[in-house]
């Protein structure tokens, strides 16, 4: 009759018996579950932060548009620097799907905070001639002052990129803010916000095209042409840009898409994420060892209980199931705790960076599943060891 009752143990009975074993050792259970939780939180945090960063980037790209293409001069067959024809902008503008064309040109001038700074300490800031429609076409914005206009593009006036302003110590634009540019004083009329689709503008001091040609030794050739095309025609336009910009030497033209550079950055981030996931896996493995250690010690400490249950009719399978259930419950506690901790870490980091907090559902489900697998593996040997004990051997053990 006792064996029949034991054979009828329902799943909730198994869970109740397994839970009772855990409640008897709260501190050890907490430390073992914490090891599992740290491993899961590490992996979930890596995935969540990466997903949040990617979502933030995707939202920025959607707002700015991914239809921006850049054309720049490459190299000749002999490895020398080439330049785009003076008519390149006009010819690109004739492509029917193209909606906007603008350009910048690099000048030989240098810029410094004042005229007392040594020439070699330029801070890697380029002085760049810019068309008036540059900001509109690349999606950049001014955070202080104003952009160049028909009047200021002909006079010693400059707009600084975000990083250029920081390096020069310019906090805001104004008539009292001047920098030593090309051997003369230029007034800082504007400061830009970071430009995600044109990061080269962040480290540039932008001046008008006419003043660059007249006073800064600029040769008038564009070094970067920014082209906007209709979304559905971006690939087709990209295919003909080189031949359109320089029909005689299309091989000396480089065409790129800012979002491709962002994709390369994401690939680099993916490599780092793989490393961090590996570290999370190690932490998870350490947690699994903790679970195994807890279960082995539990078997040794509870031999009298095991012998008593066997004497009362519990089968080997039920003893094995009891300890396996304890191991799975312990891992599940650690897994759920790790998921909650990982969500909290992701939300906190995303909040600090002003990103949307994204934790993929598959990562949460996979985290809990991983803990159950680890728990099952870690608890298998102790469960088998407990089931193999004979009642007399277990009861005779002090």
């Amino acid at each position: 009759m006792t064996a029949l009752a034991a054979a009828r143990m329902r799943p909730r009975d198994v869970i109740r018996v397994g839970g009772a074993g855990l409640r008897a050792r709260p501190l050890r259970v907490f430390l073992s579950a914490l090891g599992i939780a740290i491993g899961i939180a590490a992996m979930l945090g890596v995935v969540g932060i990466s997903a949040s960063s990617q979502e933030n980037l995707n939202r920025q790209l959607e707002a700015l548009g991914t239809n921006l293409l850049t054309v720049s001069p490459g190299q000749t067959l002999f490895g020398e620097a080439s330049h785009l024809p003076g008519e390149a902008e006009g010819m690109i503008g004739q492509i029917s799907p193209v909606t906007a064309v603008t350009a910048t040109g690099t000048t030989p001038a240098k810029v410094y905070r004042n005229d007392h700074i040594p020439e070699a300490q330029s801070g890697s800031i380029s002085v760049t001639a810019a068309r008036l429609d540059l900001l509109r076409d690349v999606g950049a914005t001014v955070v202080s002052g104003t952009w160049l206009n028909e009047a200021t593009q002909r006079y010693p006036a400059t707009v600084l990129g975000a990083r250029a302003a920081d390096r020069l110590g310019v906090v805001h634009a104004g008539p009292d803010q001047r920098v030593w540019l090309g051997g003369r004083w230029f007034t800082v009329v504007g400061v830009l916000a970071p430009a995600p689709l044109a990061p080269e503008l962040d480290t540039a001091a932008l001046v008008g095209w006419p003043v660059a040609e007249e006073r800064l030794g600029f040769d008038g050739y564009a070094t970067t042409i920014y082209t906007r095309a209709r979304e559905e025609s971006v690939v087709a336009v990209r295919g003909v840009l080189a031949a359109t910009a320089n029909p005689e030497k299309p091989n000396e033209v480089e065409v790129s898409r800012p979002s491709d550079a962002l994709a390369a950055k994401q690939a680099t981030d993916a490599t780092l994420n793989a490393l961090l996931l590996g570290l999370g896996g190690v932490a998870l493995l350490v947690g699994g060892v903790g679970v195994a250690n807890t279960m082995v010690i539990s078997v040794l400490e509870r031999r009298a209980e095991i012998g008593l249950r066997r004497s009362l009719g519990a089968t080997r399978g039920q003893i094995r199931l009891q300890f396996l259930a304890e191991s799975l419950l312990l891992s599940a506690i650690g897994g759920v705790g790790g998921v909650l901790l990982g969500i909290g870490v992701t939300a906190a980091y995303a909040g600090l960076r002003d990103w949307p907090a994204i934790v993929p559902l598959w990562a949460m489900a996979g985290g809990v599943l991983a803990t159950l697998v680890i728990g099952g593996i870690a608890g298998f040997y102790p469960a088998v060891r407990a089931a193999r004990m004979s009642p007399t051997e277990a009861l005779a053990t002090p």
Side-chain angles (χ1 to χ4, degrees):
M1 184 70 179
T2 304
L4 181 60
R8 290 179 178 175
M9 284 184 67
R10 292 167 291 185
R12 67 180 182 182
D13 296 325
V14 175
I15 295 174
R16 179 175 54 80
V17 173
L22 297 182
R23 288 193 298 271
R25 299 158 184 82
L27 181 59
R28 188 180 298 163
V29 167
F30 171 76
L31 293 176
S32 298
L34 182 62
I36 288 284
I38 291 174
I40 290 298
M43 292 194 296
L44 198 65
V46 169
V47 173
I49 291 173
S50 177
S52 300
S53 174
Q54 185 174 4
E55 178 64 19
N56 180 66
L57 183 60
N58 289 337
R59 291 186 182 184
Q60 288 183 351
L61 288 175
E62 288 177 3
L64 297 172
T66 57
N67 61 336
L68 180 66
L69 302 169
T70 60
V71 180
S72 56
Q75 294 182 332
T76 66
L77 294 176
F78 302 101
E80 299 175 351
S82 64
H83 64 77
L84 297 172
E87 305 81 13
E89 290 177 69
M91 291 187 294
I92 291 174
Q94 296 300 316
I95 303 174
S96 57
V98 170
T99 58
V101 180
T102 189
T104 59
T106 302
T107 76
K110 301 293 183 182
V111 58
Y112 307 91
R113 188 65 182 93
N114 55 57
D115 55 347
H116 299 297
I117 296 177
E119 184 177 351
Q121 299 179 11
S122 62
S124 300
I125 302 172
S126 63
V127 177
T128 303
R131 300 295 191 190
L132 295 182
D133 53 2
L134 175 68
L135 256 61
R136 181 195 63 200
D137 292 348
V138 301
T141 57
V142 177
V143 293
S144 177
T146 185
W147 177 240
L148 299 169
N149 55 42
E150 288 289 348
T152 55
Q153 72 166 342
R154 301 180 179 276
Y155 293 96
T158 182
V159 175
L160 301 177
R163 294 178 64 186
D166 183 64
R167 292 176 185 177
L168 291 171
V170 177
V171 178
H172 56 82
D176 58 333
Q177 293 290 338
R178 298 193 302 168
V179 291
W180 187 250
L181 192 156
R184 66 186 69 229
W185 290 107
F186 272 63
T187 301
V188 179
V189 297
V191 175
L192 300 182
L197 293 184
E200 61 276 8
L201 300 182
D202 293 344
T203 54
L206 301 161
V207 299
W209 208 276
V211 74
E213 291 181 311
E214 295 171 7
R215 305 189 185 188
L216 302 178
F218 177 46
D219 58 13
Y221 290 112
T223 51
T224 303
I225 298 178
Y226 300 93
T227 304
R228 290 277 189 182
R230 291 198 293 269
E231 290 283 354
E232 67 276 9
S233 305
V234 168
V235 175
V237 171
R238 188 179 186 183
V240 301
L241 269 180
T244 304
N246 193 346
E248 296 182 359
K249 302 175 181 178
N251 59 299
E252 297 181 5
V253 178
E254 294 183 356
V255 180
S256 62
R257 188 176 181 181
S259 53
D260 291 339
L262 295 174
K265 179 179 179 298
Q266 288 180 356
T268 303
D269 291 342
T271 303
L272 179 60
N273 289 341
L275 173 62
L276 295 176
L277 285 172
L279 295 177
V282 172
L284 185 60
L285 179 61
V286 171
V289 172
V291 171
N293 180 62
T294 297
M295 297 310 301
V296 169
I297 293 176
S298 179
V299 170
L300 295 176
E301 290 180 344
R302 297 162 64 189
R303 283 176 291 190
E305 175 194 333
I306 294 170
L308 180 60
R309 291 200 63 204
R310 290 295 310 278
S311 299
L312 293 175
T315 65
R316 290 178 180 269
Q318 289 170 342
I319 295 296
R320 186 165 53 243
L321 186 61
Q322 173 190 347
F323 281 87
L324 191 59
E326 287 187 23
S327 178
L328 291 174
L329 284 172
L330 177 58
S331 298
I333 293 171
V336 173
V339 167
L340 295 176
L341 182 59
I343 293 173
V345 169
T346 301
Y349 188 84
L352 289 175
R353 301 297 299 270
D354 198 24
W355 293 348
I358 304 293
V359 180
L361 182 61
W362 64 263
M364 293 187 285
V368 175
L369 180 62
T371 59
L372 293 178
V373 171
I374 291 291
I377 295 173
F380 180 75
Y381 170 72
V384 171
R385 180 172 178 173
R388 285 179 178 174
M389 287 185 177
S390 66
T392 54
E393 174 192 358
L395 289 171
T397 304

